[in-house]
Structures are given as structure tokens and as C-alpha cells.
Amino acid sequence: MKYLDEFRDPEVALRLIEEIKELATRRWVLMEVCGGQTHSIIRNGIDQLLPDAVEMVHGPGCPVCVTPLETIDKALAIAARDDVIFCSFGDMLRVPGSDEDLFQVKGGGGDIRVVYSPLDAVAIAKDNPDKEVVFFGIGFETTAPANAMAVYQASQDGLENFSMLVSHVLVPPAMCAILDSPHNRVQAFLAAGHVCSVMGYEEYYAICQKYKTPIVVTGFEPLDLLQGIKAAVIQLEDGKAEVHNAYQRAVRPEGNLPAREMIADVFAVTDRTWRGIGMIPVSGWKLSDRYRELDASVRFSVEGIQSKESELCHAGEVLQGTLKPDECPAFGKECTPRTPLGALMVSSEGACAAYFHSGRFARAVAL
Amino acid sequence: MTIDGWTCPIPLRNQPNVVMGHGGGGMLSAELIEHLFLPAFGGTRLADMADAALLDLPQGRVAFSTDSFVVRPLFFPGGNIGELAINGTVNDLAMRGAKPLYMSVGFILEEGLPLSDLGMIAESMAAAAKQADVEIVTGDTKVVDRGHGDGIYINTTGVGTVPAGIDIGPSRVTPGDVIIVSGTIGDHGIAIMSVREGLGFEADAVSDTAPLNAMVADLVEADLDVHALRDPTRGGLAATLNELAASSGTGIVIDQDAVPVRRVVAAACEILGLDPMYVANEGKLVAFVPEEHAEEALSVIRSETYGGEAAIIGKVVGEHPGMVVATTPLGTTRVVDMQVGEQLPRIC
């Protein structure tokens, strides 16, 4: 497949591994920010190939994992209403709330539909004028343009039965929060390539400078990841801390300007609680005042829900890179993809699920 | 066949749609059978209209299997629910080495289903049965209120006989067995997803629905001591391999790159964040064959109408019992687990 096969070439990958082995003279700790990168590292077994000197810790960039429990509980309450068609991306359906998940609400009679695009939810609203159609607008900067477009479109069309439950999160404040933590071990970041394709990477210069931490904009295929790792190791070995774009085929310094304009119109920056991590100042987007009437949490009275997280789940430490998924006492025991205690065990981008599905056991015999 | 190509043999009291009376056992029911099902399905046993069909079975053990079909949409690229319902049960019988002989069909119709759709589906079933050389010998129709069904649900049950000396089943999977898949995986699931409501993507994916009994008959005839056969339907290849690893207490190692996947399916999976290993098939089998017979089995399968793209994808090992492991192009390994439920498209 064009644009994919050439970035999966095993020979080039193994050559890059050798180069990384030669470059790394001491132990370095790198964090890949995005859950898609974690998924690809585990799926392709890149962690098995890297030298011991390069340790990858998995970042907080899994959108379903960090969506706050309170928001999930609000979604469950809205989705259970008889007058609502609740639309969501697929992997939100199995994320545990305090008591149940969206699948269970669906089983109990809730009209819950999986859509691939928020614009599909707008179309469903047009087709069902006697129902309230709510879209669960979550994710990082990556999903924000399409979500913003859906809000804009619904507003332009005067659709009164469409609203969005918004809980967007932003990558750069989370990176700063990780670096500010007294337990931080991260020495360099592989920045999330698709977030940067929307937002660009200009805001990373200040972070780089303040924390003296290299930031390498990195893609998702094996060669992308290895090139990102190599670029980060080179900087660390040279004692440098710069912003480097190792994903040039998708990312421009300024990002996608029309998308950013749309986002700036529809969303406004807000403080946001991250599931497992806690409140991070100015780390999220909510609907801007102009679109307040399309805010589902305003339209439906869902305040005052009591949320309760599992006491066994250590997802917060995993998200901050201080605990590996399989070091959690509940991993593979109380907590499995069948019975997830935390969101990290649900999405294939969640570090715990990625470990469980793909990297659970030591190497098996080769063919 | 398209819906446009089908014409009702006679107007059923000028009813364009299924009404409750079609399941009531009265004249409307009789008309539906006489003018729609009988002309489509034919056969003397069915035409007897007795309460039960009497079957003549050759010597040998009887294989017996049932399956229900609830696919949506009813018509999709490459087929419709009717063909699926026949091929599905034919294939389940064939996976034990049986020659499928007779089938029952049970319809649960939703009030309001266009009779032209039902006629089209029945004709497809008849064509599929003819191709698989099975006879539809008995059936049943019920109608449920509008809103209580998805247009049509179909149950099929089939019987066949297993020739003497043939023992094909999951318990015979043994370390050393070579694993063959009869063609590209994921075609059916992606074809369905491409036309399902709310999933706005375009892909030229076509369902692979097909009868596999001729392929199995030729494998049996070639005397290749096939240990096990499975058709990897729901849950895809990954579920099938995991089930067999678990039930036989063996480990399975597959070469990820050897698994045939059509480009359009691979591309759709990339976009949706799915893994083709977990996507459904309706016209593929997985064969577990002793190593010394593997190449011959592969060439038999490849010579079949539905086996041209067959490939050896891995082998059964004594290590890591119950676990399926894939080797990647980078020479690394990953565990191929069962999915909890449906595969869920990723957010981004």
C-alpha cells in the first residue's frame, strides 16, 4: 500500500535499530506521547528490538483512556434517556463508567450508535427531528477539527436537536505536567504526529527550552517511530534539546490552518481533569460561548453525578510513565479486556490493552 | 442477481409487502408457500407439504448443524442474507468432512418487508442450494410486528453424511500441523461495513460468501489426512485459531505477512483502525494438515473455484498451549488474542 509499505520495510527498520544501538552510550528514557504510537510499537514488536539503553515509556495520548470518569458518567446518563440518540466513536462504548458502560446502557434500551464521523451524527439528527441527537465529542487535537465542523454545520443548518458532549484534551499541557512531576523519568518526547498535523509544532519550542527536553515530531509506522527514536537519541547524546520534525510528509510547522481556524471558532480553552492524572490547567477545550446552546451538558441536566473510580486501578501512574502496565498488581488478574477496571485496558491504543493483547508473554518460537 | 432482476411469479393478492397474515397459517400463508417458496426451492420432498420431510441417508455418520442469520443490510456487495444462510450451514457441515445433503429453512419476517425482497432472497437461496448440491426439504415462516425484526431473519439447519474413515475435527490438531487458509481474509466483514448505515466509507470490497463443500470433498478424496477444518466467520481468523489452540491444547504460530489480505480490505482496515485477522469471512476455510501433506493440500485447494489465493500461513507447535502468536516482518512476535466482543473502530 502506497505511503505505508515503504515505511514498514524490515531491512531499513533493522538498519535503524543497529544505528540506534551504536548511538546510545547510556540509558535514555523516551516517551511516545500518542496511544497510536504505543499500539504500533507493541504490534510491530519494536520494543523487542530496541537496545536496553533505550527505554520507551507510554504516554497519556489515548483519548478514551483520559476522558474523565465524570464525563463518561454524564454520557451514560444522557444515552439512557428515551428521547436521545447517542452517537459515539466505537471504542468509547466499552469504557467503564462508575457502574456500567455504554454497551450496557444500549442493552438496557438506550439508542446508541457507532459513527465514524461526527458529521454522520449531524445527518442522523436531520433524519430524526423528533429525537435529541447527542455526539460524544472527545479526543485530542486530532479529532477536534471534525468535531468542530459538526458543531459548525449543525449551527449553520439551524439543527435544534443536535448537541455535543465535549471533553477535548490538549497534548502540550499534558507534556508539561509530566515534566513538572517530581517523579518524572522522561528525558525526551516523541510528539504525536497526527496532533501536530493539525496544530503544527510551534508551541513546542517554548517547552523544549524551558525543560531542556528534546521533542521529536514522530509518525506511526515502524520506520517513522525508529527515525523519531534515533533523532531523539542523537539529541540526548549530544546534550541538545530541540524541536525536530521526523514526520515531514504529514506535518508542517504551522499545522493545518483552516482546521485551526475552525477549532478556534468552535472551542475555547478550559481546565480539564484527565482520568487517572487529575486536573491539568488549560489542558482542554469546551464549546465556545458562541455555541453554548449546542453543549449537551448544558442542554441535559447531568450535574451532580457521583463518580467513583476503582481502587485497584493504577492507570494514572501508567499514563504518567512511572509504572509499566504489567507492573500493576491488577494487570491480567482483576483487570483484563473482558473486565477492565480502567480505560487503559479498553482501547487498543490503551497501554494496558496493548500490553495484554500483543506483548503479554515472552517471545514464542519463530516459524 | 439484483433486486431489479426478480419478478414475483404471480402477484400475491397484489400485496407488495409482508403482512401479519403471511405467518398466520391461513390463505395468505398458503399463497406465500405456493407462489413464492415452492417455485423457488422446488424439490419433491418440500412439495409434499407434510409436517416433516422423510430423508434417505447413505451409510455413514450423520453430520448435523444449525445457524441463524441476522445480517444487516440484507443485500450487500457480493451477496445477500439468503446466500449466506445456505452457504453458512453448508460450510459448517463441510468442516467435519461431511457431504451436505438436506436443509431446512426457517424465516422470521418483519411485517412490511417487500415481497420482492423476500422473493429475491428465496431465489438466491435456491441458487446457492443448487450450487452446493443440497436439497431444501422443509421450512417454516413466521411474521412479527413491524419494528420487532430487521426485515428478515433466517435459520437454516442441515444434515449430511461423513464418509467412512474420515475423522476431521478440532481435537485432532497436533503439533507439527501446517495451517492453510483458502484465500484472502476479511472480505465479507469489510463489504458489510462499507454499506452499513452510519459508516460513510467507500470501498470496492465484495463479500466472499461461497460454498466450500466441493473443496472439502476434493481434499477428502485426495486422502490427505486433514486433521481439522474451520470456516473463520465471526471473529475472523484470529478467533478460529484461538479456539483451535485452546480446544486442542496446542500453540499456533503464524507468519503475519503470509496471511493473504486483499488491498482494498487492508486499506479499509488501516482507515478504520481494524485488524483484518478479526474481520469476518463467509467463504474461507482454515485447514490443519500434517506437514508431509501440506504442499499437496495447498495445491488441491488452489485448484478449486474458491481457493485460488490459498496460502500456508503457519504451524501448530507444542509450546505456549492455547496461545496464537504472530511473527512480524521485523522478526518480532506478538500475541494474537481473542477479541472481547466486536472489534471497535478506533477514534483516531
Side-chain angles (χ1 to χ4, degrees):
Chain A
M1 227 175 304
K2 205 161 157 40
Y3 302 120
L4 283 182
D5 290 342
E6 53 268 54
F7 297 98
R8 293 176 179 175
D9 186 323
E11 272 180 42
V12 184
L14 295 174
R15 209 156 59 226
L16 280 165
I17 291 281
E18 287 308 313
E19 288 170 19
I20 292 167
K21 277 184 188 162
E22 281 171 28
L23 283 165
T25 61
R26 49 159 288 195
R27 193 174 177 84
W28 299 111
V29 179
L30 278 58
M31 174 178 274
E32 83 278 1
V33 170
C34 175
Q37 293 168 328
T38 305
H39 181 71
S40 181
I41 286 172
I42 303 289
R43 186 182 158 81
N44 292 293
I46 288 171
D47 54 330
Q48 298 164 32
L49 295 172
L50 285 172
D52 290 342
V54 178
E55 182 189 350
M56 301 303 299
V57 296
H58 314 308
C62 163
V64 311
C65 303
V66 299
T67 299
L69 186 60
E70 294 78 9
T71 308
I72 310 259
D73 286 341
K74 281 181 188 175
L76 296 170
I78 294 171
R81 293 173 59 116
D82 287 339
D83 58 339
V84 164
I85 299 173
F86 194 85
C87 301
S88 171
F89 295 126
D91 47 0
M92 282 310 291
L93 266 65
R94 212 182 288 125
V95 177
S98 291
D99 296 316
E100 53 183 358
D101 60 27
L102 284 166
F103 269 125
Q104 284 163 296
V105 173
K106 185 168 189 278
D111 190 346
I112 297 173
R113 303 189 189 179
V114 171
V115 295
Y116 280 78
S117 160
L119 291 172
D120 291 338
V122 175
I124 290 172
K126 281 182 189 161
D127 292 343
N128 294 275
D130 54 337
K131 288 274 193 181
E132 283 286 338
V133 174
V134 181
F135 181 74
F136 201 178
I138 68 137
F140 285 89
E141 293 91 332
T142 330
T143 50
N147 288 352
M149 179 56 96
V151 169
Y152 174 82
Q153 195 74 54
S155 175
Q156 288 290 304
D157 295 350
L159 270 181
E160 289 179 359
N161 64 329
F162 178 84
S163 60
M164 195 176 281
L165 183 62
V166 178
S167 184
H168 267 293
V169 276
L170 304 176
V171 162
M175 289 164 69
C176 293
I178 287 164
L179 293 170
D180 280 330
S181 162
H183 306 296
N184 173 50
R185 298 173 58 229
V186 176
Q187 294 165 296
F189 282 109
L190 305 187
H194 290 156
V195 168
C196 295
S197 68
V198 175
M199 299 303 291
Y201 51 84
E202 284 156 353
E203 55 191 323
Y204 291 133
Y205 287 103
I207 301 174
C208 236
Q209 220 163 21
K210 180 177 174 192
Y211 296 96
K212 305 283 180 280
T213 302
I215 300 177
V216 180
V217 178
T218 304
F220 298 82
E221 298 305 323
L223 298 195
D224 291 322
L225 287 158
L226 289 168
Q227 277 166 347
I229 292 167
K230 181 183 161 190
V233 171
I234 287 174
Q235 285 199 48
L236 289 166
E237 288 284 341
D238 290 350
K240 288 183 181 163
E242 294 169 352
V243 178
H244 175 85
N245 182 6
Y247 195 32
Q248 291 194 11
R249 72 181 185 283
V251 176
R252 285 172 298 195
E254 72 282 11
N256 179 342
L257 288 176
R260 289 177 65 181
E261 278 168 29
M262 177 64 71
I263 289 169
D265 174 45
V266 173
F267 296 125
V269 172
T270 181
D271 296 344
R272 175 76 69 215
T273 302
W274 294 50
R275 190 173 194 176
I277 295 180
M279 204 280 285
I280 303 176
V282 294
S283 69
W285 279 324
K286 59 178 182 178
L287 284 174
S288 62
D289 286 344
R290 183 201 300 247
Y291 297 97
R292 195 178 141 77
E293 71 275 18
L294 277 84
D295 187 338
S297 64
V298 174
R299 187 171 299 186
F300 303 95
S301 176
V302 283
E303 302 303 326
I305 293 174
Q306 293 294 320
S307 296
K308 192 169 179 298
E309 196 76 81
S310 162
E311 287 167 9
L312 293 171
C313 179
H314 289 256
E317 291 148 75
V318 175
L319 284 171
Q320 292 168 81
T322 57
L323 192 76
K324 284 274 162 62
D326 52 1
E327 292 166 0
C328 171
F331 180 84
K333 300 188 185 87
E334 293 90 350
C335 185
T336 68
R338 176 86 182 78
T339 54
L341 294 180
L344 287 180
M345 192 51 101
V346 175
S347 169
S348 58
E349 289 178 37
C352 296
Y355 264 60
F356 192 91
H357 282 303
S358 299
R360 194 161 33 124
F361 295 99
R363 331 286 175 247
V365 285
L367 265 181
Chain B
M1 195 189 291
T2 65
I3 301 176
D4 304 335
W6 187 80
T7 50
C8 187
I10 67 153
L12 294 164
R13 287 184 178 249
N14 297 322
Q15 299 265 10
N17 297 322
V18 168
V19 294
M20 292 306 289
H22 282 126
M27 282 178 65
L28 281 171
S29 289
E31 281 184 9
L32 192 64
I33 294 165
E34 190 178 338
H35 296 297
L36 196 146
F37 290 130
L38 281 183
F41 297 152
T44 52
R45 287 181 182 82
L46 191 64
D48 278 350
M49 302 283 284
D51 282 344
L54 299 180
L55 309 178
D56 304 304
L57 292 172
Q59 286 296 312
R61 285 163 301 163
V62 173
F64 179 50
S65 186
T66 189
D67 207 344
S68 299
F69 297 82
V70 296
V71 68
R72 191 179 44 163
L74 302 176
F75 298 87
F76 46 82
N80 63 51
I81 188 172
E83 284 165 85
L84 274 191
I86 298 295
N87 291 336
T89 292
V90 162
N91 292 346
D92 284 345
L93 292 169
M95 294 308 119
R96 294 307 301 269
K99 174 177 165 48
L101 295 169
Y102 305 110
M103 288 183 85
S104 72
V105 294
F107 294 100
I108 294 173
L109 309 176
E110 183 187 3
E111 184 184 21
L113 174 76
L115 277 168
S116 58
D117 282 7
L118 180 60
M120 170 67 196
I121 288 164
E123 297 254 311
S124 292
M125 295 178 82
K130 190 174 175 204
Q131 191 191 354
D133 198 20
V134 294
E135 189 179 338
I136 295 167
V137 293
T138 186
D140 178 57
T141 306
K142 296 286 188 296
V143 179
V144 294
D145 290 319
R146 196 178 187 114
H148 289 252
D150 245 342
I152 179 168
Y153 299 141
I154 304 176
N155 171 275
T156 55
T157 298
V159 292
T161 50
V162 184
I166 297 302
D167 181 15
I168 296 175
S171 61
R172 290 197 66 214
V173 170
T174 318
D177 282 359
V178 167
I179 304 168
I180 302 170
V181 64
S182 67
T184 53
I185 62 163
D187 298 67
H188 177 72
I190 293 298
I192 294 285
M193 278 183 234
S194 73
V195 289
R196 193 165 276 180
E197 183 198 4
L199 310 188
F201 75 98
E202 285 176 24
D204 294 329
V206 176
S207 170
D208 59 349
T209 177
L212 298 169
N213 53 326
M215 184 186 290
V216 174
D218 288 343
L219 279 172
V220 166
E221 210 153 284
D223 207 12
L224 293 171
D225 191 26
V226 174
H227 284 170
L229 295 169
R230 263 293 165 87
D231 56 337
T233 52
R234 278 175 306 173
L237 182 62
T240 291
L241 295 178
N242 272 286
E243 282 164 15
L244 285 176
S247 67
S248 65
T250 62
I252 286 176
V253 180
I254 61 162
D255 174 358
Q256 185 178 301
D257 254 14
V259 178
V261 184
R262 229 175 272 292
R263 279 175 62 95
V264 61
V265 171
C269 285
E270 286 289 344
I271 290 167
L272 301 174
L274 305 177
D275 183 340
M277 297 262 286
Y278 295 93
V279 180
N281 310 279
E282 289 292 345
K284 297 291 156 28
L285 62 76
V286 186
F288 291 70
V289 188
E291 192 164 12
E292 61 270 26
H293 293 157
E295 283 302 329
E296 199 184 338
L298 181 65
S299 73
V300 168
I301 295 173
R302 281 195 176 155
S303 70
E304 302 285 334
T305 312
Y306 301 112
E309 290 163 288
I312 290 174
I313 58 166
K315 67 180 180 186
V316 179
V317 295
E319 294 83 4
H320 52 81
M323 188 183 296
V324 180
V325 168
T327 57
T328 74
L330 298 180
T332 56
T333 56
R334 66 186 174 99
V335 175
V336 181
D337 250 328
M338 286 274 239
Q339 291 280 323
V340 174
E342 273 185 276
Q343 224 188 166
L344 300 172
R346 296 217 315 267
I347 287 180
C348 64

